[in-house]
Amino acid sequence: MKRTRYSEEQIIGILTEHEVGAKCADLCRKHGMSEGTFYAWKAKFGGMTVSDAKRLKALEDENAKLKKLLAEQMLDAAAMKELLSKKLVGPAVKREAVAHLRARLGLSERRACQIVGADRKMIRYRSARPPETRLRQRLRDLANERRRFGYRRLFVLLRREGEPSGINRIYRLYREEGLTVRKRRARRKAVGTRAPILVEARPNARWSLDFVHDQLASGRRFRILNVVDDVTRECLAAIPDTSISGRRVARELAALIERRGKPGMIVSDNGTELTSNAILTFVTAQGIEWHYIAPGKPMQNGFVESFNGRMRDELLNETMFRNMPHARAVIRAWAADYNEERPHSALGYQTPKAFAERLITATDTRAAPSESSARMPVAPPAPIGVSTRRALVPDG
C-alpha cells in the first residue's frame, strides 16, 4: 500500500540509505514514492539529523501561526477602518455594522461580532414592534409644519389631537425619523450675582418693548415693533413697517391700551424712538411708569428678547417676504398662532392665551393664593451694578 505521509525520522532514514549507496529508483520502489518527492526531500532535509528536522518543523509551525495572527490583525485593522465613520451605539447601528463587514470583507458573523463588540443573539434578533406608520407620518407632518419645534412641543400638539403615546415613544420616533432641530448656541453668557426683580402675577402687570429687523425679497429692510406681556408671555402687538418713529410707537401703545387696559409698567431699551419727546409726553399723559434698562444689557429685557429669538428662529429665518402687505399678513397670523396654538415651555406647555385666561379666572373668583396665582417672581433678574430702585417691586 502506498504511503501518503512520512515523519521526519522516516524521511531522514530514507535519505541516509541513499547516502550509504542505495539507488534512488530502488528506494522509491521500496517506499512507494516518486523520484520528484525524493529529490524534494533531499533538498529540504539533506545533511540534517532527526533533531534538526524536528526543530525545522517546529519553526515552520510557529511561522505559520505568526502569519495567521498577522493576517487576522490586518483584517481587524481593515474592518476598523471601515467602521471609523460609524458611531457604534445602539443595537440597530451594530446590526448595520456587522452586515457591512460581512458584505464588504466577507467576514463570518462570529468574527464581525467580535470586532464590533456585539452579541450574536442581539444581531440575529428581529423586532416584533409594530411599524407605527400612521404616528410616524403625523409626526413628520407636524415637524414639517413647525420646522423649529422640538419633540416636546410636537408631543403637546399630538396630545391635543388625542394621541395616547408617551413622550418617550414620541422622542424615539422623533430621533428615528431624523427630525432633530439644530440648536443655535448663544455666544456669551451672563455671569455674576443677580438681584431678582419681582412683579405681580397678573395680566398687564408689565409690558416689554423691542424692535427686530428683517428684509424683503427685494432687499429692502423693515423693522417689527414687538410688545410682550411679561407675565402671560402673550404677544400683544407685532407691528412691521419700513420706518417706526416715536410718535408711531406712542400711537400703537395708545390703541393697545384702549383694547387691553393700562399696564403697570413698560420696560424697554434706550433706543432713540423709545426715548423721544413723543414717548415722554405719552407716558406723562397716561400716567404709566416706564423703565429703561441699563445700556448694553439686553438680558434685563429678557422676555421680549426671548420672544424676538423665537420669532427669528421660527418665522423670519423660515420665510421670504415678498412685500410689506405679505409681511404684515404672515406676521399677524404667526402672532395669533403664538398666542393661541403654540405651547410655551415656561408656562408648562400651555398656550399664552390659556395661561392668561386661567390667571384672570383665579383673580375674578378670588381664589386662595397659590404658587400659580399669588405674587411670584417672573421678571428677569438684574445684573450687578443695576440700580434696583428703578426696577419693579411687588404691588400691594
Side-chain angles (χ1 to χ4, degrees):
M1 184 177 180
K2 184 178 180 180
R3 303 288 299 275
T4 58
R5 184 177 180 182
Y6 296 86
S7 64
E8 290 82 358
E9 293 85 350
Q10 292 173 331
I11 295 174
I12 295 298
I14 295 172
L15 294 178
T16 303
E17 291 181 18
H18 180 265
E19 291 176 358
V20 297
K23 294 183 178 180
C24 176
D26 296 338
L27 291 174
C28 291
R29 190 183 310 108
K30 176 181 177 182
H31 296 286
M33 60 188 180
S34 66
E35 291 187 6
T37 301
F38 175 81
Y39 285 110
W41 286 351
K42 188 174 182 180
K44 184 176 181 179
F45 297 102
M48 297 178 61
T49 62
V50 175
S51 60
D52 293 337
K54 288 184 177 180
R55 190 178 303 110
L56 178 62
K57 178 65 174 177
L59 290 175
E60 289 179 348
D61 293 341
E62 184 177 357
N63 190 30
K65 291 181 181 178
L66 291 176
K67 287 183 177 179
K68 184 178 180 181
L69 290 175
L70 179 60
E72 290 178 351
Q73 289 183 354
M74 293 178 65
L75 188 60
D76 291 348
M80 295 304 295
K81 287 181 180 179
E82 290 288 333
L83 301 177
L84 282 178
S85 60
K86 298 179 181 294
K87 189 175 182 180
L88 303 180
V89 178
V93 179
K94 291 186 177 181
R95 291 191 193 99
E96 294 178 1
V98 170
H100 176 76
L101 293 180
R102 297 186 65 184
R104 186 68 179 271
L105 302 178
L107 299 180
S108 64
E109 181 186 84
R110 186 188 302 274
R111 184 68 178 280
C113 289
Q114 290 177 351
I115 295 174
V116 174
D119 190 275
R120 296 178 68 188
K121 293 181 179 179
M122 180 189 70
I123 298 301
R124 296 178 179 180
Y125 173 77
R126 294 296 176 264
S127 175
R129 180 181 291 160
E132 299 172 326
T133 306
R134 186 194 62 80
L135 180 56
R136 289 174 183 268
Q137 182 61 43
R138 184 54 185 156
L139 186 61
R140 285 196 300 268
D141 293 342
L142 285 176
N144 290 332
E145 295 174 6
R146 312 277 189 162
R147 297 178 56 183
R148 299 302 301 176
F149 275 21
Y151 75 94
R152 292 184 178 89
R153 286 193 173 88
L154 294 178
F155 167 73
V156 173
L157 297 180
L158 288 172
R159 273 296 174 88
R160 290 180 185 174
E161 297 177 359
E163 173 58 45
S165 300
I167 192 170
N168 291 334
R169 174 182 292 181
I170 299 302
Y171 178 65
R172 173 176 59 81
L173 299 179
Y174 178 82
R175 292 292 299 271
E176 291 177 358
E177 294 297 321
L179 303 176
T180 305
V181 179
R182 182 177 64 87
K183 295 182 179 179
R184 297 185 173 101
R185 301 290 183 182
R187 294 186 178 180
R188 55 182 184 173
K189 298 180 180 178
V191 295
T193 305
R194 296 177 174 182
I197 303 176
L198 306 180
V199 67
E200 186 177 356
R202 60 177 178 82
N204 287 350
R206 185 174 68 184
W207 294 356
S208 295
L209 277 69
D210 198 14
F211 291 95
V212 63
H213 298 76
D214 201 24
Q215 64 181 12
L216 303 174
S218 61
R220 185 178 185 183
R221 299 190 62 83
F222 69 95
R223 60 196 325 206
I224 307 169
L225 171 64
N226 288 328
V227 184
V228 176
D229 190 310
D230 291 354
V231 176
T232 65
R233 309 299 203 275
E234 291 176 282
C235 173
L236 306 181
I239 304 163
D241 209 335
T242 55
S243 176
I244 301 179
S245 63
R247 296 177 62 183
R248 173 73 179 279
V249 173
R251 187 169 67 253
E252 295 293 346
L253 288 178
L256 184 60
I257 289 174
E258 290 182 3
R259 296 195 310 267
R260 186 178 175 91
K262 186 184 300 185
M265 174 176 282
I266 296 178
V267 181
S268 73
D269 58 18
N270 297 271
T272 55
E273 302 87 355
L274 304 177
T275 56
S276 61
N277 290 330
I279 293 297
L280 297 178
T281 303
F282 167 79
V283 171
T284 303
Q286 294 286 341
I288 299 175
E289 182 181 359
W290 195 293
H291 175 75
Y292 292 100
I293 64 174
K297 298 291 184 180
M299 69 284 292
Q300 296 180 16
N301 202 13
F303 289 106
V304 73
E305 292 290 348
S306 176
F307 176 81
N308 291 345
R310 300 288 76 74
M311 174 179 280
R312 174 75 62 188
D313 188 33
E314 299 175 12
L315 176 66
L316 302 184
N317 289 346
E318 302 292 324
T319 309
M320 178 65 71
F321 301 107
R322 298 189 299 270
N323 46 45
M324 282 308 302
H326 177 242
R328 291 190 181 97
V330 172
I331 292 173
R332 187 185 309 112
W334 184 85
D337 180 80
Y338 182 91
N339 289 333
E340 301 172 8
E341 298 294 336
R342 182 186 184 276
H344 201 298
S345 59
L347 305 178
Y349 291 99
Q350 301 178 75
T351 62
K353 182 179 179 181
F355 183 75
E357 292 174 352
R358 188 169 65 87
L359 286 181
I360 294 174
T361 302
T363 303
D364 292 342
T365 57
R366 301 183 180 275
S370 63
E371 186 177 344
S372 60
S373 61
R375 297 180 180 88
M376 58 183 180
V378 296
I384 296 176
V386 178
S387 174
T388 57
R389 287 178 296 179
R390 297 180 62 193
L392 299 178
V393 295
D395 293 342

